Amino acid sequence: MTGGARQGTVQRVGQVIALAGVAALLALLVWKVAFGNEDGAADELARGKVVEAPAFDLDRLDQDGTLSIAELRGKPVVVNFWASWCIPCRDEAPVLEQTYRRYRDQGLVVLGIDVNDFRADARRFMDKYGLTYPIVYDGKGSTVGKWGVRGFPETFFVDRSGKLVGERISGPVDIERNRDAYERGIALALGSKQ
């Protein structure tokens, strides 16, 4: 076998191996789409299923210590995923603070989950907007898959039994298109019928 023929054979073998690798990845993708059951809570909620709020235990930004969703069982909770670099998050921050102040005497907790952010930037954001509700830090984004978060901001509602209620709100809660869903979610979390 000459050098040129040998080189051609090596190239064909390399191409076959590369093609086999691509085929394997494609097969894995098809299997995941067809049989994967790792939907986030938002997807399950959208299908009408009763969904427990996914567990987490994260460092707090508003004070020392950690906070888990389990510690909030028995309280209605508005869970808001945000980041300091998210422009719509800036628009909704005052609305979330107003919600907390308006309903906290009824036991409502607004809980901010700062995701994929720097702690210092998140704290500056909190100071700038005067946020007084509990805020936890998820720098690596470990919660977003379990909850089914696809963008920022996103807001969920948890009732006193720890179940998700209402609908997930994608985008800021202060715009007209989702204001009714926001108020309905709060009412459901509080245990009011609406």
Side-chain angles (χ1 to χ4, degrees):
M1 190 179 269
T2 67
R6 186 172 297 143
Q7 184 179 3
T9 302
V10 169
Q11 283 179 330
R12 280 191 289 282
V13 169
Q15 289 171 340
V16 168
I17 291 171
L19 187 57
V22 169
L25 288 173
L26 182 60
L28 182 61
L29 175 64
V30 168
W31 181 85
K32 175 68 176 156
V33 169
F35 302 106
N37 60 358
E38 294 185 37
D39 288 339
D43 299 316
E44 299 292 316
L45 182 66
R47 289 201 254 326
K49 295 185 178 182
V50 176
V51 183
E52 189 84 21
F56 62 79
D57 188 10
L58 298 168
D59 290 338
R60 292 185 75 151
L61 285 173
D62 60 314
Q63 64 183 42
D64 291 335
T66 62
L67 182 66
S68 70
I69 195 72
E71 291 174 59
L72 298 174
R73 186 166 232 140
K75 297 180 180 183
V77 184
V78 174
V79 179
N80 177 258
F81 289 85
W82 65 280
S84 65
W85 45 262
C86 161
I87 293 174
C89 297
R90 298 172 193 167
D91 296 336
E92 76 173 1
V95 175
L96 292 165
E97 181 63 26
Q98 289 169 358
T99 299
Y100 179 60
R101 291 174 188 232
R102 178 177 175 192
Y103 293 105
R104 68 181 166 196
D105 289 343
Q106 296 177 49
L108 183 78
V109 175
V110 173
L111 174 64
I113 301 180
D114 177 51
V115 183
N116 296 333
D117 207 351
F118 294 107
R119 290 176 196 260
D121 291 345
R123 286 190 176 109
R124 276 193 291 279
F125 183 98
M126 293 163 54
D127 290 342
K128 180 176 182 177
Y129 294 100
L131 304 181
T132 61
Y133 52 84
I135 296 180
V136 295
Y137 179 71
D138 185 9
K140 294 181 181 178
S142 65
T143 56
V144 296
K146 293 186 261 184
W147 283 74
V149 173
R150 295 200 173 97
F152 302 107
E154 283 196 16
T155 303
F156 296 82
F157 306 93
V158 182
D159 69 9
R160 294 174 195 276
S161 70
K163 305 282 190 289
L164 295 180
V165 293
E167 62 187 81
R168 165 186 55 188
I169 296 180
S170 297
V173 298
D174 65 331
I175 58 177
E176 193 59 41
R177 74 178 166 86
N178 62 26
R179 187 171 290 137
D180 290 341
Y182 182 63
E183 292 298 326
R184 189 170 42 257
I186 291 169
L188 289 169
L190 287 167
S192 309
K193 300 211 179 194
Q194 212 179 38

